[in-house]
Amino acid sequence: MTVIDIYSGFLGAGKTTFMKKMVAEAYKDEKVVIVENEFGEIGIDSGFLKETGITVSEINGGCVCCTLVGDFTKNLHEVIQTYHPDRILVEPSGVAKLSDVMVSVMDVAKSEENVEMGALVTVINALKARKQMKAFGEFFIDQIEHATTIVLSRTQKADQEMLEFCTKEIQEHNPKATVITTPWDELSGETIEKAIEGKNSLEVQELAELHHAQEEAEHHHHHHDHDHDDHDHDHEEHEHDHDEDHDHDHHHDHEEDHDHHEHEECHCGHDHDHEDHDHEHHHHHHADDIFTTWGRTTPHKFTRETIEKALKAFADSDDYGYIVRSKGIVPAEDGSWIYFDLVDGEYEIRSGEPDVTGRLVVIGTDVKEDKVAELFGIQ
């Protein structure tokens, strides 16, 4: 039997760290495969996960819920048939909607023998929850609403007010989810696993079935609208119908999104501040409409000072855009390798094992790509 768990969470919430803990402590006697999808063209997380010795099947180029649904499903089938694992941990992009990933996993589970959906776990950075919920509410809330277990990270650094705010907000959106607020270091992986398994898998299936049914209904509804279009309805009547859909149907499909280029341009326009983003997120968009990704694969040798200067600049100002995530594995001038990780204002730099080449990724809104490249000393 293969169990597929989904570990979601916003960019940099701590999914990888949490998964390492669970694999080392809760799943140490199981054959585990991680299927990981990082937003952006250059995969970084696989380099970090290599250190655990776990097989990583990596997908790049977009998020699971958008352009890679077909590739993701095929990839998952291949993982099952090649490795026959006891457990698959699916780590979607931090800007993927859990509801969409859940449906894709359910489809795979239904078509494979001895495969079942397991837990839907969402990891949330308690220190950043308030800010991220405001700026990226659409994706953030979807990951809360569809989870069976929600794990708060950085709780050892959070004050009581932060913890209570996070818990209250979570319970308002998902009163049935198990919420883990105790710092991970104080809990064993086995204890966490018992909390995660406390949710009946039938509930997971019901959530997936409900979301799938909604998608089917919307798909039929959109086709019905297009059929009417083909029968010479005038532009004014079509526009009226479309406005009604825009107000009442929050789950737009790709085709409908393409009809709203003007709205999307407003959504990611360079002249809008974060309050504009908060307002626009009441409508459903894909990660590509919101985030800009700058990435490089390079043999360039860096100094720790250069990396720290760049990360400090991202953390302390918006001169390079609103940077929510930066990550890299790069060679250093002294022959060592530098691993760095920035999450919305907090960063870590450490040494690591050599990799095949240097890789950097910067993700945010209104990213000034030329200035970012110059900051890192790359042409």
Side-chain angles (χ1 to χ4, degrees), residues 210-360:
L210 177 62
H211 187 77
H212 197 62
Q214 288 174 337
E215 282 200 336
E216 289 282 327
E218 286 154 13
H219 182 71
H220 175 75
H221 173 71
H222 290 311
H223 275 286
H224 183 71
D225 281 351
H226 290 309
D227 288 344
H228 277 292
D229 252 3
D230 293 339
H231 285 88
D232 296 326
H233 281 245
D234 63 30
H235 179 73
E236 182 178 346
E237 184 174 349
H238 172 68
E239 198 170 75
H240 173 73
D241 288 343
H242 201 73
D243 288 342
E244 274 193 345
D245 287 342
H246 190 69
D247 290 338
H248 299 292
D249 185 357
H250 292 290
H251 292 277
H252 297 303
D253 64 11
H254 290 284
E255 188 170 357
E256 193 171 10
D257 280 340
H258 285 305
D259 291 337
H260 281 281
H261 286 303
E262 183 176 338
H263 182 71
E264 289 179 359
E265 286 168 6
C266 178
H267 194 67
C268 59
H270 293 293
D271 296 330
H272 294 281
D273 61 19
H274 304 313
E275 292 297 322
D276 288 333
H277 283 295
D278 180 38
H279 172 72
E280 296 297 345
H281 279 234
H282 291 295
H283 307 292
H284 278 213
H285 294 273
H286 296 297
D288 294 338
D289 302 326
I290 300 168
F291 296 100
T292 302
T293 302
W294 174 90
R296 288 288 188 277
T297 298
T298 176
H300 182 84
K301 295 189 186 306
F302 297 80
T303 65
R304 187 184 179 94
E305 289 73 25
T306 297
I307 298 299
E308 187 154 17
K309 177 186 174 184
L311 298 182
K312 194 171 187 305
F314 295 156
D316 294 346
S317 76
D318 289 334
D319 293 346
Y320 300 88
Y322 176 37
I323 309 302
V324 298
R325 191 83 162 104
S326 182
K327 208 166 189 179
I329 304 171
V330 295
E333 289 183 355
D334 63 6
S336 65
W337 280 73
I338 301 169
Y339 283 51
F340 68 85
D341 196 350
L342 175 140
V343 180
D344 206 7
E346 295 181 8
Y347 60 85
E348 175 190 10
I349 304 173
R350 62 187 177 88
S351 298
E353 293 297 312
D355 209 334
V356 291
T357 190
R359 290 172 289 166
L360 310 88

Side-chain angles (χ1 to χ4, degrees), residues 41-329:
E41 295 178 358
I42 301 171
I44 292 291
D45 275 345
S46 62
F48 287 86
L49 288 165
K50 276 177 193 170
E51 297 174 1
T52 66
I54 299 165
T55 302
V56 178
S57 182
E58 187 175 11
I59 313 164
N60 291 316
C63 58
V64 170
C65 62
C66 299
T67 57
L68 290 184
V69 171
D71 290 346
F72 171 74
T73 302
K74 178 184 175 185
N75 190 280
L76 203 49
H77 280 296
E78 289 179 358
V79 166
I80 294 166
Q81 293 160 11
T82 303
Y83 300 105
H84 305 288
D86 299 312
R87 188 178 301 271
I88 296 174
L89 304 182
V90 176
E91 184 189 6
S93 159
V95 289
K97 291 181 182 176
L98 178 54
S99 55
D100 291 323
V101 182
M102 178 180 71
V103 169
S104 296
V105 171
M106 276 297 298
D107 288 343
V108 172
K110 283 180 180 178
S111 60
E112 291 274 357
E113 289 186 12
N114 298 319
V115 175
E116 66 178 25
M117 171 82 89
L120 300 174
V121 179
T122 294
V123 182
I124 295 175
N125 184 336
L127 302 179
K128 302 295 181 183
R130 190 190 299 260
K131 180 178 181 180
Q132 292 176 344
M133 188 175 292
K134 183 179 180 183
F136 309 107
E138 175 187 334
F139 298 95
F140 202 88
I141 291 170
D142 183 273
Q143 291 177 355
I144 292 173
E145 288 178 339
H146 294 87
T148 54
T149 302
I150 295 169
V151 183
L152 294 181
S153 65
R154 314 287 179 89
T155 56
Q156 67 272 29
K157 297 182 180 180
D159 59 30
Q160 195 62 31
E161 182 185 354
M162 281 183 180
L163 283 178
E164 290 181 8
F165 169 80
C166 287
T167 305
K168 182 181 177 183
E169 287 291 317
I170 288 165
Q171 289 172 341
E172 283 183 3
H173 291 288
N174 187 347
K176 292 184 177 181
T178 298
V179 183
I180 298 175
T181 60
T182 302
W184 303 347
D185 292 346
E186 298 177 21
L187 299 171
S188 68
E190 290 83 356
T191 299
I192 296 172
E193 176 61 9
K194 286 177 183 176
I196 290 173
E197 287 184 342
K199 283 297 171 184
N200 193 319
S201 62
L202 182 62
E203 182 179 346
V204 177
Q205 293 175 17
E206 286 173 350
L207 282 169
E209 291 289 354
L210 177 62
H211 187 77
H212 197 62
Q214 288 174 337
E215 282 200 336
E216 289 282 327
E218 286 154 13
H219 182 71
H220 175 75
H221 173 71
H222 290 311
H223 275 286
H224 183 71
D225 281 351
H226 290 309
D227 288 344
H228 277 292
D229 252 3
D230 293 339
H231 285 88
D232 296 326
H233 281 245
D234 63 30
H235 179 73
E236 182 178 346
E237 184 174 349
H238 172 68
E239 198 170 75
H240 173 73
D241 288 343
H242 201 73
D243 288 342
E244 274 193 345
D245 287 342
H246 190 69
D247 290 338
H248 299 292
D249 185 357
H250 292 290
H251 292 277
H252 297 303
D253 64 11
H254 290 284
E255 188 170 357
E256 193 171 10
D257 280 340
H258 285 305
D259 291 337
H260 281 281
H261 286 303
E262 183 176 338
H263 182 71
E264 289 179 359
E265 286 168 6
C266 178
H267 194 67
C268 59
H270 293 293
D271 296 330
H272 294 281
D273 61 19
H274 304 313
E275 292 297 322
D276 288 333
H277 283 295
D278 180 38
H279 172 72
E280 296 297 345
H281 279 234
H282 291 295
H283 307 292
H284 278 213
H285 294 273
H286 296 297
D288 294 338
D289 302 326
I290 300 168
F291 296 100
T292 302
T293 302
W294 174 90
R296 288 288 188 277
T297 298
T298 176
H300 182 84
K301 295 189 186 306
F302 297 80
T303 65
R304 187 184 179 94
E305 289 73 25
T306 297
I307 298 299
E308 187 154 17
K309 177 186 174 184
L311 298 182
K312 194 171 187 305
F314 295 156
D316 294 346
S317 76
D318 289 334
D319 293 346
Y320 300 88
Y322 176 37
I323 309 302
V324 298
R325 191 83 162 104
S326 182
K327 208 166 189 179
I329 304 171

